[in-house]
Amino acid sequence: MGRDIQAIKISGEDRRKYREKVQRSLDVFARMLRERRFETSPSRVGVEIELNLVDSRGAPSMRNAAVLDAIADPAWATELGQFNLEINVPPRRLEGHALADLEQEIRASLNGADAKASDTGSRLVMVGILPTLAEEHMHEETISANDRYRVLNEQIFAARGEDLRIAIDGAEHLLTHAGSITPEAACTSVQLHVQVSPDAFASYWNAAQAIAGVQVALAANSPFLFGRQLWPETRITLFEQATDTRPDELKQQGVRPRVWFGERWITSVFDLFEENIRYFPSLLPLCEDEDPLAVLDGGAIPQLAEMSLHNGTIYRWNRPVYAVVDGQPHLRVENRVLPAGPTVADVMANAAFYYGLVRALAEAQRPIWTQMSFTTAAENLHEAARSGLDAQLYWPGVGDTPVTELILRRLLPLAREGLGQWGVDSSCADRLLGIIEQRCLTGRNGAAWQIATVDRLGANGLDRGEALRQMTLRYIEHMHSNEPVHTWSVGA
């Protein structure tokens, strides 16, 4: 979806041609897998971080175009809402001090961008859902000035034929309707990429699916939406509902949602791209001139633009990515379950935990996905989003268990082992995994801190709106300290 498009009119003929082109791309992709055309080494990792913009009072700032002009760095890009930005961090080998270097690089980039944003009256915030966001901000005029977002909005609502219904029962209750996909812009995440060989792809994807619930419970940072306290990681259910192309009748028929955990363990990356075509109609049926078969027969590597664009409109929590860099095709697992923030140190601790654990499980002699059902992995994800660090998750060999106990006793040692397999410096691994350990021991992640702080401010006589505003301003100051969230004071 990171591709600019022109405003268009879409006909039935466009859809037919696109379907045929996507199928041809899939056939070429299958041949490339058979002929082992993919780069297999060296493997790399990458990070994308979505952020929010606020004004001096902590309210959403609809100025991403002005902020991007001020930053003037191609690593930064728009996101769906005018109060969103995204930074793409260049990929690298995961070895030695790479994680420490990555942390310093991200901090420097965010600090520099925040200083330039301040010239426009805005500040950057890394958080899963901006606590001061209100329903009044959710309308079509707040979509970023980019044609691809507007076309996507039109196509989703053309498919639905009715307004979005967002209903969330948590500590409090939310029921609202939206006439655009702008509620999706409330969801800001960290995306972790791992480049893997075609032979290893299924193992890494399956492992990532198996641990998605653990990741979400550990990193939950989205407890407030439109002034209400909902789930510790409300972003999960909000994103599922805000991009749903199905009216109720299609849901009852079992039509798959576009934000999708999936329904089975896989044996090949081909399974995922084939499911994309089998289950999901196109939202953006845009054809390029490239003939992928002719390109491959000519000895070059096709971009498979239609297959990739279609894949970009199906929001799997762990998404397959096909890309061509310097004429070499490769595959990545894009992990999309984590919220942004609270600090760069927390983000890198979450990344270290994921990169280490996913490698240890993917390369284990007895695969974890042979010991638990796929349905259980999906249930773990939603239980984690609803309960955060208080979640009880199923894990093979221990059954239903508190997630903090599972992490401390079983998963942290595996993550440390996996980082060793990557070649990560042990002192760097110890520091970042130590943050994960302390988060579990203190019971304080971003969601827990936000809730406790708002409760304290409310007890001091502030109404919910003012408590959320003051909490957001405190959050920003803590965020810039880069001290992990488990050390943050709730204050008076």
Side-chain angles (χ1 to χ4, degrees), residues 361 366-373 376 380 393-402 405-406 409-411 414:
L361 293 176
R366 187 182 179 195
I368 192 71
W369 54 95
T370 66
Q371 304 172 58
M372 65 189 295
S373 72
T376 297
N380 276 353
L393 303 185
Y394 176 86
W395 195 257
V398 295
D400 290 325
T401 188
E405 183 176 323
L406 173 63
R409 294 190 177 186
R410 294 230 172 185
L411 302 186
L414 285 174

Side-chain angles (χ1 to χ4, degrees), residues 15-25 27:
R15 294 187 182 280
R16 183 190 64 78
K17 289 180 179 178
Y18 186 79
R19 180 181 288 111
E20 292 174 354
K21 190 73 177 291
V22 172
Q23 183 61 58
R24 187 153 66 251
S25 294
D27 293 341

